[in-house]
Amino acid sequence: MNILDRRDFLTRLSLTTAALYLPNYGFSSLVKQEGFIDVEITHGRIRGARNEGVNVFKGIPYAGRTSGDRRFRSPAPLEHWTGIRETLQLGAPAIQPPRQNEPDPSEDCLFLNVWTPANDNKKRPVMFYSHGGGYVGGSGYSRSQDGSNLARNFDVVVVETNHRLGLLGFLYLDEIAGSEYQGSGNRGMLDIVEGLKWVNANISQFGGDPDNVMIFGESGGGGKTSCLYAMPDAAPYFNKASIESGPGVRMTSKENAAETTAMLLKELNISAKDWRKLLAVPALDLLSIQAKFPTVPPFIEKNNNNRRIGFGPVVDGEALPYHPFDPTASAISKNKPLLVGWNEDEYTFFAWQQKDTETFKLDFDGIQKKLEPRFGADTKKIIDTYRKSRPNASAPDIFVAISSITMMGLGSIEIAEKKSEQNGAPVYLYNFGYKSEMKVPGTDYQMGTPHAMDISFKFNNEVPPRDGSQPVASFFGGGRPERFAASHNFAELWTTFARTGKPAAKNAPEWSAYNLQTRPMMRIDTKCEVINNRYSEELAMWRSVGKL
């Protein structure tokens, strides 16, 4: 294979990171700056800005250099600075295609952003978010995950990091490099741990409580949160977690990670004993080669014995000692409450992403043929079960339901079951179900509740404009004003969980912890409801075919 040129590379990678490059309409970028805020932190003084009642600090360095001789290694120590360092602009995201309205990507990317109602002595709950984009794209800032409304409307402190991604964040060198490179297969995860350590040391200066930290994340960020939940280095620095549409039950094995490394070295014509030559390969060339490898999904199916090559967290026995939720839930987080769940129509996002319009023209024979390569002899049983439980559903409806639950739902349920079996802190299972009227492009099929739509809702960024102007439609959420109520419900449930360890909202019923008897699930919408033993017939079938 030849190294892709930049244009081909950007085209291919965009298919795996499209959620992070959504058009920004629907989220106002006009804020009224009210002044500057100076704060003393561990390495010097910084200056942020107060915008519409929220203090915002962008591009704070939380660890040192990761380029040059620090590639694939722990960061260099962060150097102290003199004077006041302005933190008014975003820091560089990790190496990836250029991101809209952000600095050029860089190997030196260890920056974070903070949103707080005030830099006072209050002890607000801290919501520490890991972004999506698989393990290859994204950053600690996009319009949909702007933390201003959570901070302003719910009196919390929001923190989001940039951290190493892809090949530069997850290349497993432990077996061929020296001791300085131990943990290389989880370098991106260990960067996030450095961010948590920064929070522990500094967040009190931002009105946050270092002893009440919630980690959460969507898609790849859900997978990262799953890993943090099982990482000894992270354990002292958070108190509760939420895994959203990214159920990281299992991660990449050392064997598969070593195979990925061998394939990469072969592609570069570098022998294992000469691995140090990787340090001299330009980052863009590494990025181009990365695009030739399959992406690692947050959820790896049960009993999937296929090779899993690609770049993502590695069960290396040290940084990540074992799979986060296989065979059991992590013992080190037994006493930490957990939220986990998914969106009802995850697949429609991927249809949009892949320009799939043909699926929505299929009849039941057509969807059987489409599903058979994946499910083989079980395909008819699967479809028949869904047709029985959803008698009014069309063939595309059934395909979306099957694809959505197998992508993100079965893993979420597996996590809830294993956490419940621990008899430790509670776990709460949810479905997000608000239905957008937006159509899958090129079809008349409504998106419903696609993958990634939850981001703007749980960050309370589906709100009427603060200046009283006419609301505009958001990319996935659509234009109906009912979405504002669903967004408020979602955000209130999450911020209450951050504050107390139990999700609750004024307009939502009591949400009981998940258990193996009644199996309660909260369906989040304009009107929230708790549904016991939801999808019971379908889940019984998935268990019978070995998928749960």
Side-chain angles (χ1 to χ4, degrees):
M1 295 183 289
N2 296 321
I3 293 176
L4 301 173
D5 65 30
R6 183 176 177 85
R7 179 177 298 176
D8 288 343
F9 161 69
L10 295 179
T11 298
R12 290 183 59 176
L13 189 58
S14 67
L15 291 177
T16 66
T17 59
L20 283 305
Y21 301 93
L22 300 178
N24 284 321
Y25 56 82
F27 308 110
S28 175
S29 61
L30 300 176
V31 293
K32 180 181 178 182
Q33 186 167 295
E34 300 167 355
F36 297 106
I37 308 294
D38 294 350
V39 183
E40 187 77 34
I41 58 174
T42 49
H43 287 75
R45 201 161 182 81
I46 61 172
R47 174 169 292 164
R50 186 162 183 81
N51 297 325
E52 297 186 340
V54 177
N55 296 348
V56 183
F57 301 83
K58 298 178 180 179
I60 305 173
Y62 66 88
R65 178 174 53 83
T66 51
S67 60
D69 64 346
R70 289 287 173 166
R71 181 183 280 181
F72 309 123
R73 291 175 59 198
S74 59
L78 181 60
E79 297 181 0
H80 288 73
W81 57 84
T82 58
I84 299 176
R85 180 173 186 142
E86 289 194 345
T87 54
L88 305 172
Q89 305 294 330
L90 297 171
I95 289 292
Q96 61 188 291
R99 293 179 54 78
Q100 186 178 12
N101 299 322
E102 295 190 30
D104 289 339
S106 171
E107 283 197 63
D108 294 320
C109 63
L110 303 190
F111 301 97
L112 56 77
N113 309 311
V114 179
W115 293 261
T116 181
N119 291 73
D120 52 19
N121 294 320
K122 286 187 67 174
K123 289 195 169 185
R124 298 176 178 84
V126 180
M127 301 182 70
F128 184 100
Y129 186 72
S130 291
H131 66 74
Y135 303 113
V136 297
S139 80
Y141 182 81
S142 71
R143 295 282 178 80
S144 61
Q145 68 193 47
D146 183 289
S148 297
N149 283 335
L150 278 185
R152 177 187 300 110
N153 299 333
F154 297 96
D155 199 35
V156 298
V157 179
V158 181
V159 181
E160 303 179 19
T161 69
N162 295 348
H163 42 268
R164 280 174 282 185
L165 298 169
L167 190 159
L168 292 166
F170 299 101
L171 179 64
Y172 181 65
L173 296 172
D174 292 33
E175 297 176 8
I176 62 175
S179 59
E180 291 181 328
Y181 291 85
Q182 295 302 296
S184 57
N186 288 300
R187 194 56 63 199
M189 291 305 312
L190 292 168
D191 289 345
I192 300 174
V193 173
E194 290 298 314
L196 285 167
K197 291 178 180 178
W198 183 95
V199 165
N200 186 261
N202 291 285
I203 208 64
S204 60
Q205 296 296 99
F206 297 82
D209 184 355
D211 296 318
N212 190 12
V213 177
M214 171 186 170
I215 57 172
F216 68 128
E218 183 270 347
S219 193
K224 295 168 193 173
T225 304
S226 301
C227 290
L228 292 170
Y229 204 70
M231 291 176 67
D233 286 352
Y237 303 111
F238 73 93
N239 310 90
K240 53 188 75 74
S242 175
I243 298 167
E244 303 146 9
S245 294
V249 178
R250 290 160 282 272
M251 293 293 150
T252 301
S253 68
K254 289 194 292 187
E255 293 74 20
N256 285 343
E259 183 176 358
T260 297
T261 301
M263 293 175 67
L264 172 73
L265 292 171
K266 183 178 181 181
E267 175 68 23
L268 289 166
N269 197 27
I270 296 174
S271 67
K273 66 181 178 63
D274 291 327
W275 66 269
R276 284 188 176 275
K277 291 182 178 179
L278 286 170
L279 304 180
V281 179
L284 184 59
D285 288 349
L286 292 176
L287 199 58
S288 299
I289 293 172
Q290 175 185 303
K292 300 178 181 181
F293 287 78
T295 56
V296 175
F299 175 56
I300 298 175
E301 287 185 355
K302 184 178 181 180
N303 300 325
N304 188 325
N305 297 316
N306 295 335
R307 292 186 309 156
R308 278 289 174 186
I309 60 171
F311 303 103
V314 180
V315 182
D316 61 4
E318 296 292 336
L320 185 59
Y322 34 72
H323 294 290
F325 293 93
D326 189 13
T328 62
S330 168
I332 62 172
S333 291
K334 179 178 179 180
N335 296 319
K336 297 181 179 182
L338 181 66
L339 278 169
V340 63
W342 77 102
N343 299 350
E344 288 180 347
D345 307 300
E346 300 271 357
Y347 178 76
T348 58
F349 166 88
F350 298 96
W352 163 77
Q353 184 189 59
Q354 298 163 14
K355 297 181 171 59
D356 173 17
T357 58
E358 294 304 310
T359 291
F360 304 100
K361 303 174 184 176
L362 295 176
D363 57 16
F364 285 103
D365 288 338
I367 67 166
Q368 177 159 333
K369 291 176 182 176
K370 191 174 178 70
L371 291 170
E372 277 177 345
R374 182 176 179 189
F375 298 114
D378 293 322
T379 305
K380 186 176 186 304
K381 179 179 181 180
I382 293 168
I383 294 174
D384 287 348
T385 299
Y386 272 75
R387 293 189 73 175
K388 180 181 177 182
S389 64
R390 304 171 189 233
N392 298 320
S394 67
D397 291 340
I398 297 296
F399 184 87
V400 169
I402 291 170
S403 300
S404 298
I405 200 168
T406 52
M407 283 176 167
M408 302 297 174
L410 296 181
S412 299
I413 293 167
E414 185 175 352
I415 287 174
E417 290 180 348
K418 289 177 174 177
K419 178 66 178 173
S420 177
E421 287 169 351
Q422 270 192 321
N423 294 314
V427 57
Y428 301 90
L429 181 67
Y430 76 90
N431 250 176
F432 179 42
Y434 175 80
K435 300 304 179 189
S436 169
E437 78 279 13
M438 305 299 279
K439 304 290 182 66
V440 176
T443 78
D444 288 325
Y445 196 88
Q446 291 189 349
M447 297 285 285
T449 318
H451 185 69
M453 192 176 95
D454 56 306
I455 300 173
S456 62
F457 280 73
K458 65 172 164 267
F459 275 91
N460 199 213
N461 287 327
E462 298 285 349
V463 292
R466 291 174 60 79
D467 62 5
S469 61
Q470 186 68 23
V472 296
S474 66
F475 188 70
F476 282 151
R480 293 188 292 115
E482 291 89 343
R483 72 188 192 275
F484 305 145
S487 179
H488 190 278
N489 290 340
F490 208 150
E492 187 177 359
L493 288 165
W494 258 234
T495 53
T496 305
F497 178 74
R499 183 167 279 107
T500 69
K502 179 177 173 60
K506 180 180 179 181
N507 294 320
E510 176 81 10
W511 187 352
S512 300
Y514 189 82
N515 62 81
L516 299 182
Q517 289 73 48
T518 59
R519 301 178 184 272
M521 171 192 288
M522 176 70 82
R523 184 178 185 275
I524 301 170
D525 201 334
T526 54
K527 180 180 179 181
C528 297
E529 61 178 325
V530 174
I531 305 172
N532 288 334
N533 206 17
R534 193 178 192 197
Y535 307 126
S536 57
E537 294 177 34
E538 297 165 7
L539 295 179
M541 177 274 298
W542 288 121
R543 289 187 177 93
S544 74
V545 299
K547 296 295 184 180
L548 180 61

